[in-house]
């Protein structure tokens, strides 16, 4: 397949705008960063500081509801998940541990931090992007896949 | 408080809808972005670009507000330190992101699409957060 052939720039940009509007709503309405890893930890009682638990839980519950609403409106969302449960477990453990250690993920450091021109978030985003690129390259080099 | 909860729910719904529309609920597409040497899929860059515009405007508006619309005060991270925790945490997160093609937002949104796979990832992710809490949390 040619590079770019699967890309969906328009839908990506439109969905991105919606994500940005959601994050702006959290910032200007609730006075908080829409960082999913931090809100998730807060929602399940694994973070001592942060949003009130009800606020965190409401945001997290909203995520699958929003995806379900899109599926109900336009039909099934095409996805391909890793086939191996081990891939999901190892990936999940690393994402959970890493996002807490590094104080954020793609939403908190990526969307909210970059738009704030936070140098800390710029560094974090550069590191997790580079780490993600290197990881996929290494898995491919070892002949691994899903 | 109830206004904040409703607002957070609405923000979560919009965020989840944005992930679904943009293709970011699809781990294969995210992995395609991370696969620079393969059939690189740049969609994630367009998503980021789209998301940064409303947020850049929001930060500008925030500086003019005394307090948020539905909360008594802003509660925002003010840490500026670049330390080993930040770097190591981001590096470990990136490895997991590359392994499974999932980060926290799409994992929760994915519960609506593939509950078994996304659920497995979410449980492991929360276990990873608990492990951090038990070991390196300050």
């Amino acid at each position: 397949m040619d590079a770019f052939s699967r890309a969906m720039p328009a839908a990506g940009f439109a969905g991105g705008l919606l994500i940005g509007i959601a994050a702006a709503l959290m910032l200007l309405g609730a006075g908080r960063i829409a960082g999913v890893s931090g809100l998730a930890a807060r929602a399940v009682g694994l973070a001592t500081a942060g949003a009130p638990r009800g606020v965190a839980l409401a945001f997290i519950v909203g995520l699958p509801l929003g995806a379900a609403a899109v599926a109900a409106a336009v039909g099934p969302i095409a996805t391909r998940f890793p086939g191996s449960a081990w891939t999901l477990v190892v990936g999940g453990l690393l994402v959970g541990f890493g996002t807490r250690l590094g104080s954020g993920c793609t939403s908190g450091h990526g969307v909210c931090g970059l738009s704030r021109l936070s140098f800390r978030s710029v560094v974090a985003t550069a590191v997790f992007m580079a780490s993600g690129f290197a990881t996929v390259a290494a898995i491919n080099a070892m002949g691994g896949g899903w | 408080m109830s206004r904040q909860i409703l607002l957070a729910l609405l923000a979560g719904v919009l965020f989840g809808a944005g992930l679904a529309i943009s293709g970011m609920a699809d781990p294969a597409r995210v992995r395609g972005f991370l696969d620079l040497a393969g059939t690189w899929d740049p969609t994630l860059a367009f998503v980021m670009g789209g998301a940064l515009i409303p947020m850049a405007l929001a930060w500008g508006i925030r500086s003019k507000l005394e307090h948020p619309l539905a909360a008594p005060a802003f509660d925002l991270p003010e840490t500026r330190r670049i330390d080993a925790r930040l770097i190591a945490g981001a590096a470990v997160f990136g490895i997991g992101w590359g392994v499974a093609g999932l980060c926290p937002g799409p994992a929760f949104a994915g519960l609506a699409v593939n509950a078994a796979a996304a659920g497995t990832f979410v449980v492991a992710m929360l276990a990873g957060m608990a492990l951090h809490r038990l070991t390196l949390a300050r």
Side-chain angles (χ1 to χ4, degrees):
Chain A
M1 206 187 308
D2 297 329
F4 289 84
S5 62
R6 289 185 72 242
M8 3 185 268
F13 187 76
L17 281 176
L18 213 51
I19 291 169
I21 290 167
L25 203 59
M26 279 296 271
L27 174 62
L28 299 177
R32 299 196 173 273
I33 293 288
V36 180
S37 55
L39 290 169
R42 191 70 179 150
V44 297
L46 285 171
T48 46
R53 198 163 176 184
V55 170
L57 196 58
F59 182 89
I60 296 296
V61 167
L63 294 171
L65 293 180
V70 171
V74 302
I77 300 157
T79 58
R80 195 164 69 85
F81 279 74
S84 149
W86 283 111
T87 303
L88 292 163
V89 168
V90 170
L93 283 170
L94 292 169
V95 167
F97 191 89
T99 51
R100 293 307 289 153
L101 184 61
S103 308
C105 59
T106 337
S107 50
H109 280 312
V111 174
C112 299
L114 291 191
S115 60
R116 192 186 190 184
L117 303 178
S118 155
F119 185 58
R120 187 174 143 82
S121 288
V122 172
V123 170
T125 304
V127 171
F128 68 65
M129 289 266 178
S131 171
F133 290 138
T135 300
V136 172
I139 291 171
N140 288 344
M142 292 186 291
W146 284 357
Chain B
M1 175 58 81
S2 58
R3 278 175 70 206
Q4 275 190 69
I5 289 175
L6 278 176
L7 197 137
L9 181 65
L10 175 64
V13 167
L14 290 176
F15 202 111
L19 288 169
I21 290 168
S22 64
M24 296 297 103
D26 179 5
R29 185 175 291 282
V30 172
R31 205 172 191 277
F33 174 79
L34 295 175
D35 191 4
L36 282 180
T39 52
W40 188 58
D41 182 335
T43 306
L44 190 146
F46 289 92
V47 182
M48 264 292 173
L52 290 174
I53 295 168
M55 268 311 282
L57 294 172
W59 283 115
I61 297 169
R62 176 245 182 268
S63 63
K64 294 180 177 62
L65 291 180
E66 295 266 328
H67 58 82
L69 303 174
F74 285 99
D75 186 1
L76 303 167
E78 300 301 343
T79 318
R80 307 189 69 132
R81 205 171 44 237
I82 314 272
D83 56 11
R85 283 175 177 264
L86 181 82
I87 307 288
V92 170
F93 162 44
I95 295 171
W97 194 31
V99 165
L102 283 159
C103 58
F108 285 108
L111 290 172
V113 184
N114 185 338
T120 302
F121 182 91
V122 164
V123 169
M125 180 176 79
L126 296 177
M129 291 181 173
L131 190 65
H132 170 261
R133 178 80 193 272
L134 294 170
T135 55
L136 297 180
R138 278 196 280 231

